[in-house]
Amino acid sequence: MTGAPFPRHLLAGDSESAARALIGAFLVRGNGPNARIGRIVEVEAYVGIEDLASHARFGRTNRNAVMFGPPGVAYVYLVYGMHHCLNVITEAEGRPAALLIRALEPVSGIEEMRTARIAAAGRTSTRRGHDSDVARIGGLPAARLASGPGLVCACFTIDRTTDGDDLCDPGSDLRLEAASDAQMRLPVAQSPRVGIGYATEPWLSKPWRFFVEGNPAVSGPRVAATAAQ
DNA sequence: GCAAAGATTTGCT
DNA sequence: GCAAATCTTTGCC
């Protein structure tokens, strides 16, 4: 049920509506039988210059410039010097807002995702040997392959060169695709955002993390605590 | 021009 | 449960 372009207008309105539209949709890399496809099951919204948890809180800078551009474009940045994070721009051009893709449920191209993760592990972590990465990642269940923002980018071979690409263009190698209505009927839960301890209230407690309740691909141990409330 | 911190993941204590 | 790995971006002197 993939193949339909993702309508840009679904991302052009308020970010909560955009988040609910994006949950259940697909992120696709490549074409043909080896294409990597993942269902989006967890996102976080970063909205406006006033959001003290957002990269846009210092105004427009070289790094966050695409956040101020049109919706549907990819914003990719490097965190902690080793992991990349993928965002989809939302809201009207000129207003900095984005959805961080925190987790995907692998649908197709699962072995290709393992290969991509092993390659990414070799690039980012030189502490362990390649054989160790192959064993560790090869043993992961599919639902754990892309269950975190850094892991999403590892599985889909996303780095800073992807920054600024149009994810709503059906011709893009990395793109969004719409799901059928039936597939979009998923139970969506909300919680505060993860990993923004540097922010202050009220931004710290805004329930701007959206995820599919009970889905095994939703990210990490920290999730269980916040999801349970 | 330099120092500090970060929208994370992993392994070890 | 804690700290390391690692480097870009931002803020301040």
Side-chain angles (χ1 to χ4, degrees):
Chain A
M1 287 300 120
T2 63
F6 192 86
R8 193 184 309 275
H9 71 83
L10 293 179
L11 301 171
D14 71 275
S15 291
E16 173 164 352
S17 299
R20 292 179 177 278
L22 204 53
I23 293 279
F26 298 98
L27 183 70
V28 181
R29 165 69 88 183
N31 294 281
N34 292 326
R36 282 167 273 174
I37 304 176
R39 181 197 304 276
I40 296 169
V41 296
E42 180 183 356
V43 303
E44 277 178 3
Y46 291 85
V47 185
I49 210 163
E50 67 275 15
D51 180 357
L52 295 184
S54 172
H55 287 170
R57 65 188 181 281
F58 299 123
R60 182 178 186 137
T61 65
N62 189 55
R63 175 173 68 162
N64 66 25
V66 300
M67 289 187 75
F68 291 75
V73 171
Y75 167 47
V76 182
Y77 64 90
L78 184 65
V79 272
Y80 300 108
M82 55 181 75
H83 301 294
H84 293 274
C85 291
L86 171 67
N87 297 254
V88 180
I89 302 306
T90 59
E91 311 213 3
E93 183 165 0
R95 176 161 167 78
L99 296 171
L100 169 68
I101 309 299
R102 286 194 58 90
L104 302 173
E105 179 180 33
V107 171
S108 186
I110 291 171
E111 291 315 305
E112 285 76 8
M113 292 183 199
R114 287 190 205 280
T115 302
R117 265 202 60 174
I118 290 166
R123 246 174 281 121
T124 58
S125 171
T126 54
R127 284 171 297 165
R128 316 279 149 220
H130 178 259
D131 290 347
S132 167
D133 290 330
V134 171
R136 176 173 54 86
I137 296 169
L140 289 175
R144 294 280 99 194
L145 283 176
S147 61
L151 303 180
V152 167
C153 288
C155 280
F156 281 71
T157 321
I158 295 165
D159 60 23
R160 288 278 299 165
T161 63
T162 308
D163 191 53
D165 287 3
D166 185 2
L167 299 175
C168 289
D169 181 351
S172 293
D173 193 64
L174 182 73
R175 60 198 182 274
L176 295 168
E177 290 187 1
S180 70
D181 287 347
Q183 289 176 311
M184 291 298 289
R185 276 184 222 112
L186 300 168
V188 176
Q190 291 178 241
S191 80
R193 294 170 289 182
V194 174
I196 56 165
Y198 54 88
T200 54
E201 297 292 358
W203 313 108
L204 194 54
S205 299
K206 292 276 187 189
W208 287 351
R209 171 169 167 266
F210 303 83
F211 59 98
V212 178
E213 198 160 16
N215 188 287
V218 170
S219 71
R222 282 178 296 185
V223 170
T226 47
Q229 59 179 290

